[in-house]
Structures are given as structure tokens and as C-alpha cells.
Amino acid sequence: MDEALPGLLADVLGHAYALASAERSPAAQSYILLLASAARGAVRLGRLGSSASILAVSGPPVPFSVPAHLLSSPPPLASAAPPSEQNVREIRKVLALVMERPQVLTPAAAMEVTAIVAEVATAVLEWAPAIAAHVKVQFSGMAYSSSPMLLHSVLTLFAKFPDAFGAEDERKMARRLASAACEAHRPLPVRLLVLHWLLGSGRFRDSVPGLAKWFYPGMFDPLALKAKKLDCLGFVAATVDSDKVEGGSYGQQTTEFIDDGLVCVSAFRWLPAWSTETSVAFRALHRVLVGAAPHGTNDKGCSGAGELLNSTTFHHFQAMLVDMASEHRSLVPVIADFINRLLACTTHRWVGEQLLRTFDECLLPRLEPGYQLASYYPLFEKIAQNEAVPQLRLIELLTKQMVCLAKKHDPDTELKSWSQGSKVVGICRIMLKHHHSSHIFLPLTHLLVRTIESFPDLEIRDHARYL
Amino acid sequence: WPLRVSGHPILETSAESTATARPHLRRSMSGGGCSIRAIWILTPNDAVAFSRRFAVVEKRWRVAWEAEGVGKGAEMPLPADYEVAAAFANRRRREGTARGSGIRTNLSSVGLDSWVDDPITRHIISLQIDKEEGGGFMLWPVVLQKRGSYYVLVLPLVDPQSFKAFESLLKRPDCGSSAKENGNLSSILLNLPCITGAFMVANVIGDIITGDVAEPEVIVSSGPSVGGLLDSLTGSIGITARSKPSAAPVAAPVASVSSPVGAAQSDSLKGGIRPFDKELLRSFIIGAMPFGTPQDLNYGNVSSIRTTGYSADPLPTDQKQPAWKPYLYKGRQRTLFSSLETINAALYDRDDVPDFLSVSGQLTCRAELEGLPDVSLPLTGLKTARVEVSSFHHCVQASEPTGNKQSLLFQPPLGNFVLMHYQAPCNIDPPVKGFYQLSMVSENEGAFLFKLRLMEGYKSPFLMEFCMVTMPFPRRRVASYDGNPSVGTVSMTEHLIEWRIVSSGRGLSGRSIEATFSGTVRFHPRTTQRVNSSFRSATTTAFAEDSDCEQDITKNGANLDDYLMEKMNKDLQAVDLEEPLSWQAYNYAKVSFKIVGGTLSGLIIDPRSVTIYPSVKAPVEYSMQP
């Protein structure tokens, strides 16, 4: 009833206190919760500011008596008067009883009690700052519990009582969270949540780079956990990288975090492109990029763009993607999707374009014409679509490809030449649509002329497409 | 009092800073705690098997939204059962699977959970409730847990600020946020302990509907324990012994890891639906979370209070009796401890690749003691055992570990409980070492060889109760095998060959043995299978052309391995994110075993050092089972 009608018991707090302090049976927990809830009601109603004692009672509690404030409509505004000295004392007495022995509470009840204590104590903290230390002493042991509810409750106290928990406590707590994610007995969602808590608070984030060793995924960690740990490593890499610019050093190359982290899903290089390992690996790469150059808060674009471009991380990144593309053809569509994702983002479009330029400069010279080149067409299409990327190298490669196809063209390979050749023409078409510069006109004409010479029926069949 | 939050602003701050206008309404939501708005249990056919709503919590939801604007309180009421079922089915259709992909793919679009690109969105989902008269809305956060054939959905109460923050995350058009940005998913989750609470609620409800409510096992040293074989079979990877380490193995990642016959079907319906006792569940909910606020999620406690009530015995001292100990023990007094360790290992038998060995252990306790005594247990050898992490039961007060030592003080609850969980490396050589080779001599025939050494360096009282090797072939059908092992017996099923080296009843102790097994395995010819995976259709349109390359490669002879690998993997399905790796892509053998008589981490307790206050004459027994 107190939950449904907040403040119902605010006037009989004294009775609730007496009941809760006298009860010794296992029902004591319920009385503690009742007292806490009633105390919260009193605080919300601004009773601390009145001159009357919040614990004062007149006569025994009477059933069915509804306090006046519940009947008035609209509800009266709480008084904003500072709490009286007496009521600060009284509320401390109430809190002392509620916090007396958290160990006798069940984890669920402890979570509720912690939440209420945090709210009530915050209300009087200015007049009784010692409460924060008391709260810390009584509850911080819960951080080492197996129960995720208790662990999370302690975290809420960190947020509520910033002055009670010092830098050392923050470091310890951050370490606790990082290590809790490695505990195999915990259910997977909890292990994921723990890492979210670590990354979610500004107070723990500073400690994250020092915890890198906890984030290297274990071999038998579920892939979801591997993905989340890689997020943390990506965070470390981004932080370390930006600190390096400022002169900090963690004695480790950012690139090592990425490479060593990806070991856990290294099979993605040979597994099919739709494998979960592949998704996890490319998600991690994306997180590293976005971590280094986060989206701006006010559409002003990307912070850290310049730093990222010149960072070792990004150079490494480019080399890695080029190697991947040239050594594992099956990854090309995945890489194309990856770049597409960046191109579609207003903040990171430039990263995608830069990667396409890298492919133009570093990948295209490595590729040989032949039937296998078809695997790279998805990437070529991206390059052809993009005005910010030079086209000449691509045209040159496609011209060589046409020559090669023409050479191999015989009755046996007729269908294949046709299929591959028409795709090359398709890429040329994309290029024509997106590049209106005379720059590409001549080499492209050259390519198309050669194509028509080798495949005389092309003009007739494809004429319509160019119109 | 102004909240000081360093660094990143957290959501609560905004709620607090605007609290002056409507203090009690705004404040009512912030600050944690856990209340549940509703619970649904869905069948795989998208029918609602059970639902429960909490009117008191719903009132708080309405009040909180009313504070955001007049009339807002009525905009997002709890949906009817059929609407939830429809929304769940709709989500599955859009995401591809019931849980969703958890990672952004080509199929993800703005507004889908997978758009947020975080694996937790497989467990904390949003549902789009469509109203016929228009004005649909989002239900979030729905904590989802799959147990047996059922889906358990738990909706906790969240504050409007967090709700809106997630909503805007779902609608962000950019390429996906990082933890360094404002309003990221991590900070939303940190501010919502109710989600953590809802997980525990979903968890225990899952336990109840699957009948998985037994207490953790405490092994009494005399007499062999039963069930080890099956347990180890159902949940083992690499080298594993015993698979149920935790009291509540919620969707235990390890347990689901290696069903021998391919794992990716976990979202599909397996077998029929086992009905559950709705009355039992209803009465549990009344006792465990009166009016929607969880107070005790321990099934044993809640049901014993319901059947026998609280104890009426006067307490021996002036203390409060813990809520988790509703009555006191009476009878012969004794305390039992047992260590249980599970080792996960990957043995490569290669000089350049180190083996992977990790031990996860638990210390279980059963204290049959009268009254409310304090038990003190000093732990020693923590550094020697290189214990990396430990967590304790909520009744335990653990001292700060100093060097090698840490002392635990606790008032034990009734029955068996896990006093402590820990992680450690394996500090001795694994009890099974050796290698396994499989080479395909033709398309449908493979030659294999095992050479194993068991219990090398393990002296009595270590006793190996059973040991079995499994060769899974999830993608081939086994036709027959040839060959006899040097020890043990062999059997086969459609997709695997099992070699029992040590069977229960004939343990191995005080000596080491070598076990070899060489032979051939023949498979039925492959039948072409078409994969219908959302992942595949999402990313691989370009692969349709791969046949183009075939001739080219075979002619050139170059990259033949790559090409074969590609061809073999063509019918490989993407595994769930709950799996550690794409099992089906590997040839491996699994060794499962159970030994008793010691621990692999080296962490042991000394029963003589246990003290009980007020002191009683009660024996302390200890057993170990790695």
C-alpha cells in the first residue's frame, strides 16, 4: 500500500521504526523494507524540514486512517526548507537501523534497501556528510558477492556518493568489474552487463586502459563475450592512442591490442564470410575506428578526425584491410559492406573514402587479371561510385582484365567471359554515372573500345543500358 | 545537493537536477531498485503460456510519464497478451531469429535492436506494440531468456529518461555509437539496476518452468556420486569434468556449448513443449515479489516459507534472523565442504601453440548447525594457486586478501550453497594429455589416431572415475568404423564415435596409463544441403559467382587449399553468439572425465582450521572433485 500510495506511512514513521527494531524473526527484512519505504516517503514529502520530529508518534497506529496529503488534489508541493537539526538526527537513526546488517537481507531486498538509502542519504548529505562514509562501510563488501544484484547496487552508490569513494576505490571497482566478466560461472548476460557497467561510468573509464589484460578473450568465451571484450580493448586502444599524442605511454603499441584481441576470432580469415567470427571481427574493427573518432554530439561532425588519420592505429588498419583483401578473397564482400557502413554515416564518410583511396593505392597494384579478379568487383563498384577516389588505376586494371578475358575467350569459356565481362562493363557504367570529369573519359573510352573489339555483340546487347 | 559526476554525465543527473519542479514525482524513478511491470512466458508458437502484471508498479510507470507531460501517462499502457505475442513474432521475423542477431548486419535497419550493434540486445530486447487504432509504441527493456522451449519475458520499470535515451539510440542514423559518446548503451544500462534484477527474476522463473530448482551438489566423501557421466556428456568442451558448476546455470554458456550434433539450431524448436505448473509459478511470484518488487528470489526459501512458515523458535541471541534462513536447523550437527573444479582446456600438441587451460572452481558448503552460529573459514594458498577472481555467497563477509591468505566469516544459510566461486589456471599438467589426428584418405573415409596418457603425475588419492573421448562429425553421417582401442570400449551413433576409456565403477588411481586407438571411419556420401541462413543471404551475394573461379584454380594449382576450404565451408551455418566458436568448421575430439580426491588449481581448505562461534562439537568434512 505504501508503494501504491507514496507517503501513506510518512506520518507513522515512528511506529515503523519501533516495529523494525523489535522484529527478530526472518520477517525482520520486510519490516526494514517497510521502514525504508516510509522514510523515503517522509523525505519526498519534505517532512525533514518541519519542526516536528519525523519519528514522533501520537498514540497507537490506527488502521484505515488516510493522511491528508493523499486526499488533496493536486498533491501539495514538498517543502524545500532545509531539514531541522533534530530530523537530520532522526533520519540518521532510521538509516542506521536500515543499514545495520545488510548480510541478513536477501540480494533482492538489499538492492531495494540500497536504492532507498541512497536517495534518503543524499537528501541530508549536506547536513550530515558522514553518512556517505557510513554507507560505504556497510555496503561496499557487496562488490565481492556472486550476486549481480548486489554488485550493481554498489555501483549505484558510487554514482550517488562520489566523495565517499576515492580514486583507489574506483580502481579496485573497475578491476572487480573487469575480472567479474571472466568468471565462467556467471550467466552470459551478466558477464556482458558487467562490461557495460565498466564502460558506462566516467568514474571507471580512466582505469580501463590499465585493465587490458582482462579483456583478451578466452578461447571458450562465448562469441558475444568476445565481442564485448573486444569493445573494451578497442576502448583501450583508442584511449592509449589519444594519450600518446598527449605524451602518455602504456608501453604497448595500440596496434598490439587490436591484433592480439583479434586472435580469439582469427578463424574469420578462413571461415565463410557469413560466419559469426567474421561479424565479431569486423564489428571490433568498426568499434576501434569509431572509438578513436566518435560521432559528434551536435552534428558538428567528428571529433578526433585529424588525429585518427595520422594515428598508428589507422595506418595499421589500412595495411590490415589491404592484406586481408588480397590474401582472403572471400572477405572482399565483407570489407565492401564495412566500407559501405562508414560511407553511409555522415560523420565517418571520410574514413570510408580514405579506405577506398588506400585500396586504390595499395590493393589494386597487387591484383592480377584473371577469373579470380571477379571476387573484387564488389570493392571496385565502391571505388567507381566514389568521386573522392581516383579512377585511373581501376580503369587500367579493368582494361587488363578485359584483355585477359578476351585471350581466354573460346567456346568453352564463352559463358564465363560473358558473365565477367558484362560485370566489368557494369562497373564502367557506375563510373560514368558518378564521375563527370574529362579525366577519366579517355582511358575509359580506351577500355570500352577494346571491349567492343573483343566482344562485338556487346554494343548491340548493352546499348540500352548506357542510355 | 548537487550531484558531482566526473567525466561523462550520467542520466540520473539530469533527472535529479530538474527535480525541483515536481520533486516527488521526478525522484520517484531515479536511484535504482527493481520493480517489475509484467512477466510473460511465450511458447515457440508465439502463444502466451503465462502472464502476470503488477498494477502497483504500473501506476508508478503512469505517474512518472505524466510528469513528462499531461496525458503521457496513458500513452504506453501494458499491452494485452496477444499484442505481446504478435510483437515478439514480428521482431523474430524482422531480426531473423527470436533473439535477434545482436550485431548489425545488412538486414538491420533503424529501429531494430540489432541496429544498436551490441550482443546484449539478444537478452534485453525491445518490442514494437502495434495498435489497430494507430498509436503504437515501444516496450523496453524486455529481458528475454530462453528456457527449454519457452521464452521468458520480464519487463522492469524504468525511468522515462532512460527509456528515451534508448529510443534515440535505436533511431540514430549513424554507423553505430562507441562507449565514448554521450547516451551510449553502457551508461543507460549502468543506470538501470532494475534490468539486472529482471535478469535474476527471469532466471529463477526459467528454473521453475524447467524444473531446474535443485540445490548445488555437496559431495560427501564416502560413496560415489551419481550422474557424472551424463553431466559431463551434456556439457563439456576440450577437456571438461562436470558441467554444472553453478547453483543456477542460467543458459549456462558452457552447458550449451557443445551439443555434439551441431549447435546453431538453438533457436529452433527441439522436441515438444513440456507443460509447467502455473499454480506453482503463481504462488512463487506472490511470495518472491509482492506487488512487483522482488524481495527474495531463492526458490527454496520462498517455497519453504509458503509450506512451513517461519520458525517459531526463540533465537538464542539478540540478533535478527536472516531473511534467507526462514527456520533453524535441528539435529546432529556437522559441516560439509566440497571443492568442485571444472577444467576447460584446448590441447594442441604443438610447440608453437601453447595449450589453453583454465579452471573454474567452486566451494560448496552445507552447514547443519543449530542456532545462528558464525562460521569462520581461513583460506590459504591463494597466491600459490594463482587464484585470479573470486566471488562469494551473499552471507559471506570476506576480509581483504593479504598475500596468500583471506578469511571468510559467514552465518550459513540452510541447505547446500555455493560459498565461493573462483577462477584459476591449471597448476598441474592436465590429467589427460596426448594427440588426435584425422586425415581423410578419400572423400568418404578418414584414418584417425589417438595417443593419450591418462593421470600422468597424479598420485593417490586422485581417482579417475570415468574418461571418455568423443569424435563428433556434425556435418557427416557415420557409416561405420574400424579399429580397436588398446583399452576401453567404442560405440557410435549417427554423428559421433565414442570411446570409453575408463568407465564408472572401474576407477583409475595411483598409476598412469597409455591409451591408443587407431582406425578408420567411413561416412555416408555427402548429400548437398542448401543453407538458409540470414547471415548468409545478408553478406554473400557475391559468392554465387564462386563457381566461376573453380576451373581457374584447379588449372593453376594455386590456392588449392583455400579453394577446398571454401568448398567445404559452403554449407557451414553461422553459430549463435552464445557459442565460443564455429564448432562445425573444426575436426576435434572431446575428452570428458571426472576425477576425485584433489583439486587441479591446488586450492584446498583445511577442515581443522574451520571455527564455529558459539563453539559446538561438530565434525567438519571436506571432499574434492576437480
Side-chain angles (χ1 to χ4, degrees), chain B residues 379-526:
Chain B
L379 290 176
T380 53
L382 292 170
K383 266 225 167 106
T384 325
R386 295 187 285 158
V387 169
E388 288 161 351
V389 201
S390 43
S391 302
F392 305 95
H393 188 268
H394 56 80
C395 71
V396 176
Q397 287 175 283
S399 73
E400 191 88 350
T402 47
N404 226 0
K405 286 182 188 160
Q406 185 170 28
S407 69
L408 312 183
L409 185 70
F410 58 99
Q411 262 186 9
L414 293 162
N416 303 347
F417 65 102
V418 180
L419 187 68
M420 168 188 177
H421 288 281
Y422 58 91
Q423 296 284 133
C426 185
N427 292 317
I428 41 179
D429 269 351
V432 179
K433 287 191 295 184
F435 66 83
Y436 161 55
Q437 290 171 341
L438 172 72
S439 54
M440 296 301 289
V441 290
S442 72
E443 173 85 17
N444 297 320
E445 191 175 325
F448 63 86
L449 169 65
F450 280 98
K451 225 171 182 169
L452 304 177
R453 266 210 96 76
L454 274 59
M455 300 294 277
E456 195 171 39
Y458 284 71
K459 297 196 168 62
S460 189
F462 274 110
L463 167 76
M464 180 173 269
E465 286 190 348
F466 98 101
C467 177
M468 182 172 68
V469 176
T470 313
M471 276 186 274
F473 301 103
R475 294 195 289 159
R476 298 300 302 262
R477 281 170 56 230
V478 181
S480 64
Y481 72 90
D482 273 338
N484 279 315
S486 67
V487 54
T489 55
V490 184
S491 61
M492 65 168 248
T493 64
E494 197 179 6
H495 289 287
L496 55 86
I497 296 178
E498 273 176 8
W499 172 25
R500 282 153 206 267
I501 307 175
V502 180
S503 8
S504 31
R506 251 184 286 165
L508 178 64
S509 178
R511 65 194 171 97
S512 75
I513 58 165
E514 191 174 271
T516 53
F517 181 19
S518 70
T520 52
V521 53
R522 267 174 295 279
F523 303 104
H524 290 291
R526 273 179 195 275

Side-chain angles (χ1 to χ4, degrees), chain B residues 104-125:
Chain B
R104 197 189 281 193
T105 67
N106 285 359
L107 294 180
S108 311
S109 58
V110 173
L112 282 184
D113 285 332
S114 56
W115 184 253
V116 179
D117 199 19
D118 196 286
I120 198 86
T121 58
R122 287 168 67 80
H123 308 277
I124 305 169
I125 65 170

Side-chain angles (χ1 to χ4, degrees), chain A residues 436-463:
Chain A
H436 307 291
S437 138
S438 56
H439 221 65
I440 65 159
F441 189 69
L442 202 60
L444 199 58
T445 315
H446 184 68
L447 165 58
L448 291 172
V449 166
R450 187 169 272 275
T451 309
I452 295 165
E453 280 168 9
S454 313
F455 302 97
D457 52 346
L458 177 90
E459 193 186 12
I460 309 152
R461 292 205 206 172
D462 271 67
H463 194 253

